[in-house]
Amino acid sequence: MSLLNAKEWTEMFRKIGAFWLHDGNLKRPHARLTSGQHSDGFFNGGIVCQDPILLDQVCFDLTLRLRDWSVDFNTIDWAIGPAMGAITLADNVARHLSNERSSPVLCSYTEKKTGTGKEMMFKRTTLKPGDRVLLVEDTLTTGESVEFSAQAVREAGGVVLPWVAVILNRSGLKEVNGRP
């Protein structure tokens, strides 16, 4: 059973100032996303990640949701997300998955390739061919960062598993390139 449902998590994030929606007043600021798009709301995963107790609860809940989807934790070798937002998240999700299966799930993150704009790569991690990777992300808006991380995993010889663990899905998407 989950700690909180989606509505309760959203309210918790609003209460701590990690999530807000624009009220429609054009004189008030709005968010410009890393994609360059404008948004009527914003989620600051950094506020969640700086609180180890809250982050632990969020990652435990993500692990339970993966179990609800019948994900076999033994098929996960790595939890990986894009820098910067998912570094701490990947570490904590990997720890919860490791505890659930009593063997290590490794964690890492992808970083932007120098001079390429948005493409991602591994600068500090080496995957073995065939390593199976669960992608994690703090906020899903367009799915672009997740997809760039997936490409980096494939380029490194890894296998992208068919799920994405996300704290807040603002996109309305039910899947990113076939991954729920």
Side-chain angles (χ1 to χ4, degrees), residues 87-114:
I87 293 174
T88 308
L89 180 64
D91 176 74
N92 278 273
V93 168
R95 182 174 49 80
H96 279 283
L97 291 169
S98 298
N99 289 339
E100 285 290 317
R101 71 181 207 182
S102 299
S103 64
V105 171
L106 304 176
C107 62
S108 189
Y109 55 93
T110 58
E111 300 177 74
K112 290 184 180 179
K113 288 182 181 178
T114 305

mmCIF file of all heavy atoms in Angstrom, residues 87-114:
data_model
loop_
_atom_site.group_PDB
_atom_site.id
_atom_site.type_symbol
_atom_site.label_atom_id
_atom_site.label_comp_id
_atom_site.label_asym_id
_atom_site.label_seq_id
_atom_site.Cartn_x
_atom_site.Cartn_y
_atom_site.Cartn_z
ATOM 1 N N ILE A 87 19.766 12.843 -9.404
ATOM 2 C CA ILE A 87 20.942 12.195 -8.806
ATOM 3 C C ILE A 87 20.590 11.583 -7.455
ATOM 4 O O ILE A 87 20.781 10.386 -7.226
ATOM 5 C CB ILE A 87 22.118 13.179 -8.663
ATOM 6 C CG1 ILE A 87 22.635 13.587 -10.036
ATOM 7 C CG2 ILE A 87 23.228 12.569 -7.822
ATOM 8 C CD1 ILE A 87 23.698 14.672 -10.005
ATOM 9 N N THR A 88 20.079 12.384 -6.549
ATOM 10 C CA THR A 88 19.725 11.899 -5.215
ATOM 11 C C THR A 88 18.556 10.934 -5.284
ATOM 12 O O THR A 88 18.501 9.950 -4.555
ATOM 13 C CB THR A 88 19.396 13.087 -4.287
ATOM 14 O OG1 THR A 88 20.469 14.018 -4.345
ATOM 15 C CG2 THR A 88 19.202 12.652 -2.862
ATOM 16 N N LEU A 89 17.643 11.198 -6.187
ATOM 17 C CA LEU A 89 16.492 10.318 -6.372
ATOM 18 C C LEU A 89 16.935 8.920 -6.800
ATOM 19 O O LEU A 89 16.482 7.919 -6.249
ATOM 20 C CB LEU A 89 15.548 10.925 -7.407
ATOM 21 C CG LEU A 89 14.290 10.143 -7.729
ATOM 22 C CD1 LEU A 89 13.389 10.037 -6.513
ATOM 23 C CD2 LEU A 89 13.557 10.798 -8.883
ATOM 24 N N ALA A 90 17.840 8.843 -7.775
ATOM 25 C CA ALA A 90 18.334 7.541 -8.240
ATOM 26 C C ALA A 90 18.997 6.777 -7.098
ATOM 27 O O ALA A 90 18.798 5.563 -6.943
ATOM 28 C CB ALA A 90 19.309 7.731 -9.402
ATOM 29 N N ASP A 91 19.780 7.474 -6.294
ATOM 30 C CA ASP A 91 20.448 6.841 -5.153
ATOM 31 C C ASP A 91 19.431 6.248 -4.188
ATOM 32 O O ASP A 91 19.565 5.096 -3.755
ATOM 33 C CB ASP A 91 21.321 7.888 -4.448
ATOM 34 C CG ASP A 91 21.977 7.338 -3.208
ATOM 35 O OD1 ASP A 91 22.934 6.549 -3.348
ATOM 36 O OD2 ASP A 91 21.528 7.687 -2.094
ATOM 37 N N ASN A 92 18.406 7.009 -3.865
ATOM 38 C CA ASN A 92 17.418 6.536 -2.893
ATOM 39 C C ASN A 92 16.511 5.447 -3.444
ATOM 40 O O ASN A 92 16.174 4.506 -2.733
ATOM 41 C CB ASN A 92 16.604 7.722 -2.367
ATOM 42 C CG ASN A 92 17.334 8.449 -1.274
ATOM 43 O OD1 ASN A 92 17.224 8.091 -0.109
ATOM 44 N ND2 ASN A 92 18.107 9.450 -1.638
ATOM 45 N N VAL A 93 16.121 5.558 -4.700
ATOM 46 C CA VAL A 93 15.320 4.490 -5.310
ATOM 47 C C VAL A 93 16.149 3.203 -5.346
ATOM 48 O O VAL A 93 15.648 2.124 -5.008
ATOM 49 C CB VAL A 93 14.824 4.889 -6.717
ATOM 50 C CG1 VAL A 93 14.262 3.687 -7.461
ATOM 51 C CG2 VAL A 93 13.774 5.985 -6.614
ATOM 52 N N ALA A 94 17.421 3.308 -5.717
ATOM 53 C CA ALA A 94 18.295 2.124 -5.751
ATOM 54 C C ALA A 94 18.399 1.485 -4.367
ATOM 55 O O ALA A 94 18.370 0.252 -4.231
ATOM 56 C CB ALA A 94 19.671 2.505 -6.278
ATOM 57 N N ARG A 95 18.506 2.300 -3.331
ATOM 58 C CA ARG A 95 18.592 1.764 -1.966
ATOM 59 C C ARG A 95 17.323 1.011 -1.595
ATOM 60 O O ARG A 95 17.378 -0.102 -1.055
ATOM 61 C CB ARG A 95 18.856 2.901 -0.974
ATOM 62 C CG ARG A 95 19.006 2.419 0.466
ATOM 63 C CD ARG A 95 19.424 3.555 1.394
ATOM 64 N NE ARG A 95 18.619 4.749 1.246
ATOM 65 C CZ ARG A 95 17.413 4.911 1.789
ATOM 66 N NH1 ARG A 95 16.856 3.935 2.502
ATOM 67 N NH2 ARG A 95 16.747 6.037 1.622
ATOM 68 N N HIS A 96 16.159 1.568 -1.899
ATOM 69 C CA HIS A 96 14.903 0.884 -1.573
ATOM 70 C C HIS A 96 14.751 -0.400 -2.371
ATOM 71 O O HIS A 96 14.314 -1.422 -1.826
ATOM 72 C CB HIS A 96 13.703 1.813 -1.797
ATOM 73 C CG HIS A 96 13.487 2.752 -0.656
ATOM 74 N ND1 HIS A 96 12.911 2.369 0.531
ATOM 75 C CD2 HIS A 96 13.792 4.068 -0.514
ATOM 76 C CE1 HIS A 96 12.858 3.392 1.353
ATOM 77 N NE2 HIS A 96 13.392 4.442 0.742
ATOM 78 N N LEU A 97 15.102 -0.365 -3.644
ATOM 79 C CA LEU A 97 15.036 -1.590 -4.450
ATOM 80 C C LEU A 97 16.001 -2.641 -3.911
ATOM 81 O O LEU A 97 15.665 -3.832 -3.840
ATOM 82 C CB LEU A 97 15.349 -1.280 -5.914
ATOM 83 C CG LEU A 97 14.312 -0.453 -6.657
ATOM 84 C CD1 LEU A 97 14.861 0.015 -8.003
ATOM 85 C CD2 LEU A 97 13.020 -1.232 -6.856
ATOM 86 N N SER A 98 17.195 -2.206 -3.530
ATOM 87 C CA SER A 98 18.195 -3.128 -2.959
ATOM 88 C C SER A 98 17.670 -3.776 -1.686
ATOM 89 O O SER A 98 17.837 -4.989 -1.481
ATOM 90 C CB SER A 98 19.499 -2.378 -2.653
ATOM 91 O OG SER A 98 20.077 -1.852 -3.816
ATOM 92 N N ASN A 99 17.051 -2.982 -0.821
ATOM 93 C CA ASN A 99 16.498 -3.524 0.417
ATOM 94 C C ASN A 99 15.375 -4.518 0.151
ATOM 95 O O ASN A 99 15.275 -5.538 0.831
ATOM 96 C CB ASN A 99 15.976 -2.389 1.310
ATOM 97 C CG ASN A 99 17.091 -1.566 1.904
ATOM 98 O OD1 ASN A 99 18.235 -2.008 1.999
ATOM 99 N ND2 ASN A 99 16.767 -0.343 2.296
ATOM 100 N N GLU A 100 14.556 -4.237 -0.848
ATOM 101 C CA GLU A 100 13.438 -5.127 -1.174
ATOM 102 C C GLU A 100 13.918 -6.489 -1.674
ATOM 103 O O GLU A 100 13.296 -7.497 -1.401
ATOM 104 C CB GLU A 100 12.535 -4.487 -2.230
ATOM 105 C CG GLU A 100 11.651 -3.391 -1.697
ATOM 106 C CD GLU A 100 10.551 -3.911 -0.791
ATOM 107 O OE1 GLU A 100 9.920 -4.935 -1.121
ATOM 108 O OE2 GLU A 100 10.328 -3.273 0.250
ATOM 109 N N ARG A 101 15.024 -6.496 -2.418
ATOM 110 C CA ARG A 101 15.480 -7.767 -2.992
ATOM 111 C C ARG A 101 16.718 -8.327 -2.298
ATOM 112 O O ARG A 101 17.215 -9.381 -2.680
ATOM 113 C CB ARG A 101 15.723 -7.609 -4.480
ATOM 114 C CG ARG A 101 16.932 -6.783 -4.836
ATOM 115 C CD ARG A 101 17.069 -6.666 -6.313
ATOM 116 N NE ARG A 101 18.454 -6.467 -6.697
ATOM 117 C CZ ARG A 101 18.849 -6.287 -7.920
ATOM 118 N NH1 ARG A 101 17.976 -6.298 -8.897
ATOM 119 N NH2 ARG A 101 20.122 -6.121 -8.201
ATOM 120 N N SER A 102 17.271 -7.615 -1.319
ATOM 121 C CA SER A 102 18.431 -8.046 -0.530
ATOM 122 C C SER A 102 19.687 -8.247 -1.364
ATOM 123 O O SER A 102 20.507 -9.109 -1.064
ATOM 124 C CB SER A 102 18.108 -9.331 0.253
ATOM 125 O OG SER A 102 17.038 -9.092 1.135
ATOM 126 N N SER A 103 19.820 -7.472 -2.428
ATOM 127 C CA SER A 103 21.049 -7.434 -3.211
ATOM 128 C C SER A 103 21.121 -6.068 -3.887
ATOM 129 O O SER A 103 20.092 -5.428 -4.106
ATOM 130 C CB SER A 103 21.100 -8.569 -4.242
ATOM 131 O OG SER A 103 20.078 -8.428 -5.199
ATOM 132 N N PRO A 104 22.343 -5.617 -4.206
ATOM 133 C CA PRO A 104 22.489 -4.233 -4.676
ATOM 134 C C PRO A 104 21.842 -3.937 -6.026
ATOM 135 O O PRO A 104 21.944 -4.719 -6.965
ATOM 136 C CB PRO A 104 24.005 -4.053 -4.797
ATOM 137 C CG PRO A 104 24.625 -5.188 -4.105
ATOM 138 C CD PRO A 104 23.623 -6.292 -4.052
ATOM 139 N N VAL A 105 21.190 -2.786 -6.076
ATOM 140 C CA VAL A 105 20.833 -2.113 -7.312
ATOM 141 C C VAL A 105 21.749 -0.903 -7.335
ATOM 142 O O VAL A 105 21.770 -0.119 -6.381
ATOM 143 C CB VAL A 105 19.349 -1.672 -7.340
ATOM 144 C CG1 VAL A 105 19.073 -0.789 -8.550
ATOM 145 C CG2 VAL A 105 18.433 -2.884 -7.331
ATOM 146 N N LEU A 106 22.536 -0.767 -8.381
ATOM 147 C CA LEU A 106 23.481 0.334 -8.472
ATOM 148 C C LEU A 106 22.769 1.610 -8.897
ATOM 149 O O LEU A 106 21.650 1.571 -9.407
ATOM 150 C CB LEU A 106 24.587 -0.016 -9.467
ATOM 151 C CG LEU A 106 25.343 -1.316 -9.162
ATOM 152 C CD1 LEU A 106 26.347 -1.616 -10.263
ATOM 153 C CD2 LEU A 106 26.026 -1.252 -7.803
ATOM 154 N N CYS A 107 23.416 2.753 -8.693
ATOM 155 C CA CYS A 107 22.791 4.020 -9.065
ATOM 156 C C CYS A 107 23.810 4.928 -9.739
ATOM 157 O O CYS A 107 25.006 4.852 -9.481
ATOM 158 C CB CYS A 107 22.195 4.716 -7.849
ATOM 159 S SG CYS A 107 23.395 5.158 -6.601
ATOM 160 N N SER A 108 23.306 5.752 -10.642
ATOM 161 C CA SER A 108 24.141 6.727 -11.316
ATOM 162 C C SER A 108 23.256 7.773 -11.957
ATOM 163 O O SER A 108 22.054 7.814 -11.712
ATOM 164 C CB SER A 108 25.023 6.051 -12.379
ATOM 165 O OG SER A 108 25.963 6.986 -12.883
ATOM 166 N N TYR A 109 23.875 8.601 -12.800
ATOM 167 C CA TYR A 109 23.145 9.655 -13.479
ATOM 168 C C TYR A 109 23.827 9.981 -14.796
ATOM 169 O O TYR A 109 25.006 9.714 -14.993
ATOM 170 C CB TYR A 109 23.044 10.907 -12.610
ATOM 171 C CG TYR A 109 24.381 11.428 -12.140
ATOM 172 C CD1 TYR A 109 25.059 12.393 -12.865
ATOM 173 C CD2 TYR A 109 24.963 10.942 -10.975
ATOM 174 C CE1 TYR A 109 26.286 12.872 -12.445
ATOM 175 C CE2 TYR A 109 26.192 11.409 -10.549
ATOM 176 C CZ TYR A 109 26.848 12.377 -11.283
ATOM 177 O OH TYR A 109 28.060 12.842 -10.871
ATOM 178 N N THR A 110 23.046 10.539 -15.696
ATOM 179 C CA THR A 110 23.580 11.006 -16.967
ATOM 180 C C THR A 110 23.805 12.507 -16.874
ATOM 181 O O THR A 110 23.140 13.196 -16.107
ATOM 182 C CB THR A 110 22.608 10.696 -18.122
ATOM 183 O OG1 THR A 110 21.344 11.308 -17.841
ATOM 184 C CG2 THR A 110 22.428 9.197 -18.304
ATOM 185 N N GLU A 111 24.762 12.983 -17.665
ATOM 186 C CA GLU A 111 25.075 14.406 -17.708
ATOM 187 C C GLU A 111 25.043 14.876 -19.149
ATOM 188 O O GLU A 111 25.236 14.085 -20.072
ATOM 189 C CB GLU A 111 26.466 14.666 -17.141
ATOM 190 C CG GLU A 111 26.629 14.239 -15.701
ATOM 191 C CD GLU A 111 28.041 14.442 -15.213
ATOM 192 O OE1 GLU A 111 28.432 15.607 -14.976
ATOM 193 O OE2 GLU A 111 28.766 13.438 -15.085
ATOM 194 N N LYS A 112 24.849 16.169 -19.330
ATOM 195 C CA LYS A 112 24.831 16.722 -20.679
ATOM 196 C C LYS A 112 26.203 16.580 -21.320
ATOM 197 O O LYS A 112 27.230 16.796 -20.684
ATOM 198 C CB LYS A 112 24.414 18.187 -20.657
ATOM 199 C CG LYS A 112 22.960 18.372 -20.315
ATOM 200 C CD LYS A 112 22.552 19.817 -20.383
ATOM 201 C CE LYS A 112 21.069 19.932 -20.035
ATOM 202 N NZ LYS A 112 20.613 21.305 -20.052
ATOM 203 N N LYS A 113 26.189 16.186 -22.606
ATOM 204 C CA LYS A 113 27.424 16.148 -23.378
ATOM 205 C C LYS A 113 27.895 17.583 -23.588
ATOM 206 O O LYS A 113 27.101 18.470 -23.903
ATOM 207 C CB LYS A 113 27.197 15.503 -24.753
ATOM 208 C CG LYS A 113 26.973 14.019 -24.706
ATOM 209 C CD LYS A 113 26.813 13.479 -26.127
ATOM 210 C CE LYS A 113 26.564 11.993 -26.118
ATOM 211 N NZ LYS A 113 26.367 11.466 -27.487
ATOM 212 N N THR A 114 29.161 17.810 -23.430
ATOM 213 C CA THR A 114 29.719 19.149 -23.598
ATOM 214 C C THR A 114 29.498 19.637 -25.022
ATOM 215 O O THR A 114 29.800 18.939 -25.989
ATOM 216 C CB THR A 114 31.230 19.139 -23.277
ATOM 217 O OG1 THR A 114 31.404 18.592 -21.969
ATOM 218 C CG2 THR A 114 31.793 20.546 -23.317
#
